Amino acid sequence: MRALENESLSAVVQAVKDRWFLAYTKPKLESVAQFNLAQQGFEVYLPLFKKFKKTEQGPVALFEPMFPRYILFRPTRAEQSISVVRNSKGVSNIVRFGFEPALLPNEVVHHIRQMEKDREQATIETLNPLKVGQPVRLRHTALGTIEGLVHHVSSKRVAVLLEILGRPTVVQVAHHQVELSA
C-alpha cells in the first residue's frame, strides 16, 4: 500500500514537474514576487521583454515583464505545497480555472523562453518601427506639422527626406523627434 502511495505521489510530482503554475502579482511587484518565491524554494520564471525607450540622449534599452502582473512558478520538491504562494509578498493570488490552478505545459514555457532570448539579442534597428520609405512627422517643430519620408535609420539618428522651399532636403534628427504619420 505504501509503495502504491509513493508511486502515485511521484506520478503527480512528475506531472507537475512538466508544467508551470501561474501567479497573479500585485501591480509592479513581479520582481518582488519572483525573489520571495525563489526564497521559499520554488523554481520561478519571470519572462522579460526588451524594449527601447526614447530619451533626450537617444534610445535606451530596458526590460519589462512580458506579461505584466504574471509570474510562472513550480515546486522543486514533491512535498512542497503551492498554498503558501498566495501569502507571499508581491503575489495577489494563484490563477485558477474554477477550483483548479492554471497549468502551463513545459513546451509553452520553452517557446516563451525562446522568444525572450530572440528579443534580448535584437538591436534597435530590428525593433525600430521606422523603416526606409515610411512617412513620418517631425515632432516639436516651430513650424507646426512637417512631414517627410524616412531616408535612413541608424542607432542614434533618423535621416528624413523633407521638402523645404520646394527642394528635397535630407535632415538628421534623433529618434524621439519623429513619429509615424497616420
Side-chain angles (χ1 to χ4, degrees):
M1 182 69 168
R2 185 83 165 146
L4 187 60
E5 281 180 14
N6 285 341
E7 189 176 307
S8 174
L9 183 60
S10 66
V12 168
V13 168
Q14 185 58 41
V16 170
K17 197 68 174 149
D18 293 339
R19 299 180 181 270
W20 291 79
F21 292 95
L22 198 59
Y24 188 64
T25 67
K26 294 178 181 171
K28 305 282 186 193
L29 293 181
E30 296 92 350
S31 57
V32 171
Q34 180 184 23
F35 176 79
N36 285 303
L37 291 176
Q39 289 290 94
Q40 294 174 44
F42 289 96
E43 185 178 349
V44 186
Y45 175 45
L46 174 61
L48 297 175
F49 185 79
K50 179 181 184 180
K51 72 180 230 177
F52 290 91
K53 182 178 180 183
K54 295 178 183 179
T55 65
E56 291 296 324
Q57 291 77 33
V60 175
L62 48 99
F63 294 88
E64 293 181 352
M66 191 179 291
F67 308 108
R69 296 193 67 184
Y70 289 95
I71 192 166
L72 293 93
F73 70 96
R74 62 182 173 188
T76 54
R77 300 180 314 274
E79 67 279 356
Q80 193 173 17
S81 172
I82 66 166
S83 64
V84 297
V85 172
R86 290 178 301 159
N87 299 321
S88 298
K89 190 172 184 177
V91 174
S92 182
N93 54 42
I94 297 172
V95 176
R96 298 180 181 277
F97 296 112
F99 294 108
E100 295 296 317
L103 292 170
L104 274 143
N106 258 348
E107 297 81 38
V108 172
V109 176
H110 175 72
H111 288 298
I112 292 171
R113 286 184 194 268
Q114 189 60 47
M115 286 176 25
E116 180 182 28
K117 184 179 176 185
D118 293 344
R119 182 78 183 204
E120 187 175 309
Q121 295 171 353
T123 62
I124 191 163
E125 288 82 15
T126 58
L127 298 177
N128 193 336
L130 300 174
K131 307 289 183 222
V132 174
Q134 280 186 314
V136 292
R137 178 177 27 247
L138 294 182
R139 302 167 80 192
H140 311 297
T141 61
L143 302 173
T145 306
I146 297 178
E147 293 190 358
L149 295 174
V150 175
H151 185 264
H152 177 75
V153 181
S154 71
S155 62
K156 294 188 179 190
R157 316 264 314 144
V158 178
V160 180
L161 180 63
L162 302 173
E163 189 175 322
I164 300 176
L165 299 173
R167 298 182 64 197
T169 307
V170 176
V171 178
Q172 300 277 335
V173 295
H175 283 263
H176 70 277
Q177 293 176 315
V178 296
E179 61 188 13
L180 292 175
S181 292

